[in-house]
Amino acid sequence: MLTTSKATITLERFTAKIRPLLSRVYTEQQIDDLLPRLYDLTKDQLKAHSQEDLGKWDQDKILLITYGNSICSDDASPLQTLHQFLNTRLEETVTGVHILPFFPYSSDDGFAVIDFLEVNHSLGNWADVEAIGRNFNLMFDLVANHVSSQSEWFQQFKQNELPGCNYFISLPDDTPTADVVRPRSSPLLTPVETSQGVQHVWTTFSADQVDLDYGNPDVFLEFINIMLAYANHGARYIRLDAVGFLWKSLGTCCIHLPETHALIQTFREILQMIDPGIALITETNVPNRENLSYFGERNEAHMIYNFSLPPLLLNALMQGRADHLKTWMMSMPPAPIGCAYFNFTASHDGIGMRPTEGLLEAQEFETLIETMRSFGAKISMRSQADGSESPYEINISLFDAMQGTAQGPDQWQIERFICSQTVMMSLEGIPAFYIHSLLATPNDLENVAATGHNRSINRHCWEKRRLDALLNDPETPQSIVLAELSRLIKIRRQQKAFHPNATQYTLHPDNPAIFAFWRQSIARDQSIFSIHNLSNQPHTLRLSELNLVNTDSWMDLISGDHFEDLHATYKLKPYQSVWLTNCPYYDSSNTPDQVDLEFLYQV
């Protein structure tokens, strides 16, 4: 948490850092008014020495993504129950926790925030959040693009009262908006009864999520205040939700505009001056080239969500081949110095399909959509500029998405699922596991029926006694998956070659079912060949294809197998992964025994 002290950065120095950024967004008069107020807001937390911290992460960093009420019990508040679960089941597994919006809200499971500075009383209080932060690094959501229609600001807007009357965008209902990129099929402009009559307000995501007007510098100042509050409550990561839509300018696509990038740079610069150890992460579910732009020139996001990974990895496992995954991986530049990819395969949202644009052929795209439908998925659509609709995301539990291939269900669900998670945690970047992936949670169709929202399929709330019973039974999918993934994560956390910024190089085995890449530690004292059979058939790997250094001893960190003959062949079971290394950093006393999956072959 931040500590307050007498300001150690003068107004002049503060102005020299911030004015050039704001000049790309606001007029000189607006900046002259904003800068002293911004300085007064932050001055007690500014540090004299705010050089960039390049050691914010290493191979030991593993994050969990969860709602505050993903696990509930009658004995404690949801946040207290989550803390108990983390301490009991994941204390040696994850190091950080992204608690999805835990504020009072009106819809979208927390992303229509009523009050950014309060904890939802149904979940707990700030003391509960801070208690988790004493054991785990916390990530908070800064839902900066919009606010609930039930918020105080929007009620002020409807009554024409300050300050909220100036915080939103109201346009004539016949304003041309066809150029605006839409993530939803709902109307962009929503009619609202106000004291001034009916006004049509900008609503990118839903009628209940009203976009804020960053053309008013006071809105930006409000969110700097909120960001500082989160830092004071223990946030070590701050996630900018839906940040690509922040700035609006009619006649443009209203996404990724230069003003948006300038505002993100200002958020980062201010964070840098108050605590260089806090990381800023942008959430932009868009095609890969657009997503990469949020690194800026090492002056925007410290981390960006690796949105192309979930759909491409899912497709690779459905097709049993690695070609598109390899093509994408070879196109990915190493993250800039001081930056990292945020790797995930599932989250509270669905599996976004826009990042596959230009990567999957139309027929393969349709096959993936139809295969997921057959496994129980819901498909969410978005509006195109021509008025048509296209699939925006697949809504499904990732565990149920792995119940088969494009040919239909089979007996390899658990192995296929564990393979997907092993690939993810092997890649350059910081791994993040959605809690329902660690718990092998199936589709929650009852939740969809109750809420009417597709995303509810993957937002299950476990009753703690029921979950404990499943986790204590060694033959349930929940127990098997959590035990094996915990084992793999603990091994992974010890390997220098899995540093988020360690070298990564795509390999090209002859067999298209095998996905392989090489990681090398920053000090070049460890190599790991990460090898994965993406199919439901056994395949043979020729070790000579890897060009292993024959003066080293090689072993598989996952199975414990040793390799003496570097010209031999190795038979990979369906969905088997291998971490072949010449220098294992491995403490077997700190990892559980490998889970025996043999009995599952007969399911």
Side-chain angles (χ1 to χ4, degrees):
M1 297 184 188
L2 301 180
T3 56
T4 60
S5 60
K6 185 177 179 180
T8 52
I9 293 180
T10 64
L11 174 59
E12 290 73 21
R13 184 179 168 196
F14 182 84
T15 298
K17 287 176 173 290
I18 301 300
R19 180 180 284 276
L21 302 175
L22 294 179
S23 67
R24 296 164 54 192
V25 182
Y26 300 121
T27 67
E28 287 300 310
Q29 183 176 346
Q30 287 175 315
I31 296 171
D32 288 342
D33 174 70
L34 177 61
L35 275 172
R37 293 188 295 144
L38 193 55
Y39 180 72
D40 285 343
L41 181 65
T42 59
K43 65 182 180 181
D44 289 340
Q45 297 174 12
L46 299 175
K47 304 293 191 299
H49 302 289
S50 55
Q51 294 183 351
E52 185 174 4
D53 178 5
L54 298 178
K56 283 192 281 289
W57 50 70
D58 58 21
Q59 66 274 8
D60 190 53
K61 295 294 183 286
I62 308 284
L63 273 77
L64 177 76
I65 304 169
T66 181
Y67 277 104
N69 63 350
S70 291
I71 305 172
C72 294
S73 70
D74 296 331
D75 304 327
S77 72
L79 285 171
Q80 291 170 348
T81 302
L82 173 64
H83 195 185
Q84 293 167 7
F85 175 81
L86 291 167
N87 286 342
T88 303
R89 302 283 185 178
L90 297 178
E91 184 180 18
E92 301 296 327
T93 304
V94 303
T95 60
V97 184
H98 174 197
I99 309 176
L100 290 155
F102 47 81
F103 319 107
Y105 71 98
S106 54
S107 65
D108 199 16
D109 287 339
F111 285 91
V113 179
I114 294 174
D115 188 337
F116 293 96
L117 298 175
E118 290 293 328
V119 175
N120 187 336
H121 296 312
S122 69
L123 297 178
N125 54 42
W126 277 117
D128 297 327
V129 174
E130 292 171 0
I132 296 173
R134 286 192 283 273
N135 303 107
F136 302 90
N137 294 324
L138 292 174
M139 182 186 292
F140 292 177
D141 286 284
L142 190 65
V143 187
N145 180 71
H146 49 261
V147 68
S148 167
S149 65
Q150 296 182 26
S151 66
E152 182 179 4
W153 289 344
F154 197 65
Q155 299 312 304
Q156 292 168 347
F157 171 82
K158 291 198 294 185
Q159 297 303 318
N160 198 31
E161 297 173 352
L162 292 171
C165 64
N166 297 320
Y167 281 10
F168 301 92
I169 301 169
S170 177
L171 297 170
D173 62 347
D174 59 353
T175 300
T177 59
D179 292 334
V180 177
V181 170
R182 299 302 317 287
R184 301 287 185 274
S185 296
S186 57
L188 179 65
L189 299 179
T190 297
V192 178
E193 290 283 352
T194 77
S195 62
Q196 308 297 301
V198 175
Q199 297 195 52
H200 293 79
V201 295
W202 195 297
T203 53
T204 296
F205 290 90
S206 77
D208 187 43
Q209 294 165 290
V210 190
D211 287 48
L212 291 149
D213 181 9
Y214 278 83
N216 179 355
D218 289 347
V219 171
F220 177 68
L221 191 68
E222 293 275 17
F223 278 89
I224 293 296
N225 183 54
I226 294 166
M227 183 178 72
L228 295 177
Y230 292 172
N232 276 311
H233 284 297
R236 305 309 298 162
Y237 307 90
I238 292 179
R239 175 184 182 269
L240 296 177
D241 175 69
V243 71
F245 299 95
L246 216 60
W247 191 268
K248 281 77 173 174
S249 179
L250 287 176
T252 75
C253 60
C254 295
I255 186 171
H256 315 317
L257 296 183
E259 293 86 351
T260 291
H261 287 282
L263 288 173
I264 295 170
Q265 291 170 25
T266 311
F267 277 122
R268 172 164 169 160
E269 188 62 44
I270 290 173
L271 269 183
Q272 177 75 22
M273 287 190 280
I274 65 170
D275 188 340
I278 297 176
L280 195 67
I281 177 169
T282 52
E283 186 261 346
T284 51
N285 190 356
V286 293
N288 198 47
R289 182 183 294 272
E290 299 170 33
N291 193 32
L292 288 168
S293 72
Y294 284 87
F295 280 140
E297 297 179 2
R298 294 186 54 230
N299 58 353
E300 293 187 40
H302 295 99
M303 296 189 287
I304 63 171
Y305 275 71
N306 213 340
F307 273 110
S308 295
L309 176 61
L312 291 176
L313 180 55
L314 176 62
N315 184 70
L317 289 162
M318 293 304 100
Q319 297 290 343
R321 67 177 201 270
D323 49 348
H324 296 311
L325 201 56
K326 285 172 55 179
T327 299
W328 162 75
M329 188 167 171
M330 287 187 293
S331 73
M332 290 290 284
I337 295 171
C339 300
Y341 292 111
F342 189 79
N343 293 329
F344 71 109
T345 52
S347 72
H348 59 293
D349 291 339
I351 298 170
M353 297 306 292
R354 286 208 66 204
T356 69
E357 292 175 11
L359 296 171
L360 292 186
E361 298 174 0
Q363 183 56 54
E364 199 162 351
F365 183 96
E366 290 301 321
T367 298
L368 179 58
I369 294 290
E370 292 309 312
T371 301
M372 291 299 102
R373 274 201 178 105
S374 72
F375 295 164
K378 307 295 181 182
I379 308 299
S380 295
M381 311 295 284
R382 73 181 183 98
S383 297
Q384 303 275 32
D386 62 3
S388 64
E389 291 188 334
S390 62
Y392 173 71
E393 68 178 18
I394 299 170
N395 301 111
I396 192 169
S397 142
L398 187 64
F399 184 67
D400 271 1
M402 297 292 172
Q403 62 189 271
T405 68
Q407 284 68 52
D410 59 26
Q411 76 267 36
W412 302 105
Q413 181 176 16
I414 291 181
E415 291 84 355
R416 184 182 294 111
F417 180 77
I418 290 174
C419 178
S420 74
Q421 303 307 286
T422 309
V423 170
M424 184 269 288
M425 73 173 94
S426 306
L427 293 167
E428 176 193 347
I430 297 171
F433 293 84
Y434 188 38
I435 191 168
H436 293 305
S437 294
L438 288 181
L439 299 178
T441 306
N443 291 333
D444 192 339
L445 297 175
E446 290 184 4
N447 200 15
V448 174
T451 66
H453 298 298
N454 288 348
R455 285 178 169 177
S456 299
I457 198 170
N458 196 29
R459 297 178 178 180
H460 182 68
C461 178
W462 281 103
E463 197 281 316
K464 188 173 183 298
R465 289 190 181 87
R466 168 65 176 156
L467 178 60
D468 283 339
L470 291 171
L471 293 178
N472 291 334
D473 180 346
E475 295 191 358
T476 65
Q478 287 69 38
S479 177
I480 294 166
V481 167
L482 181 59
E484 180 63 358
L485 289 182
S486 294
R487 183 183 80 90
L488 293 172
I489 290 169
K490 290 172 185 177
I491 295 171
R492 189 246 187 231
R493 287 176 57 184
Q494 299 176 62
Q495 310 310 315
K496 294 182 180 180
F498 283 143
H499 186 286
N501 301 112
T503 297
Q504 178 171 285
Y505 185 82
T506 310
L507 303 177
H508 303 278
D510 293 335
N511 192 329
I514 296 177
F515 181 49
F517 50 97
W518 173 63
R519 303 294 309 278
Q520 185 184 54
S521 61
I522 294 171
R524 299 185 180 183
D525 56 351
Q526 184 189 33
S527 288
I528 294 179
F529 289 84
S530 185
I531 303 161
H532 311 270
N533 179 1
L534 301 183
S535 79
N536 57 9
Q537 300 297 318
H539 287 283
T540 298
L541 173 70
R542 297 196 308 273
L543 295 181
S544 59
E545 292 185 75
L546 303 178
N547 293 321
L548 302 176
V549 177
N550 59 15
T551 57
D552 293 341
S553 298
W554 295 88
M555 71 166 289
D556 174 21
L557 290 164
I558 296 176
S559 67
D561 291 341
H562 288 261
F563 298 83
E564 303 299 335
D565 183 357
L566 302 187
H567 296 280
T569 59
Y570 186 71
K571 191 171 184 179
L572 293 168
K573 297 176 183 178
Y575 303 108
Q576 182 179 353
S577 294
V578 172
W579 284 339
L580 190 60
T581 187
N582 62 335
C583 183
Y585 294 93
Y586 183 67
D587 178 5
S588 60
S589 66
N590 194 36
T591 57
D593 294 334
Q594 184 173 10
V595 175
D596 183 4
L597 302 179
E598 292 295 330
F599 77 92
L600 291 167
Y601 295 174
Q602 303 166 12
V603 174

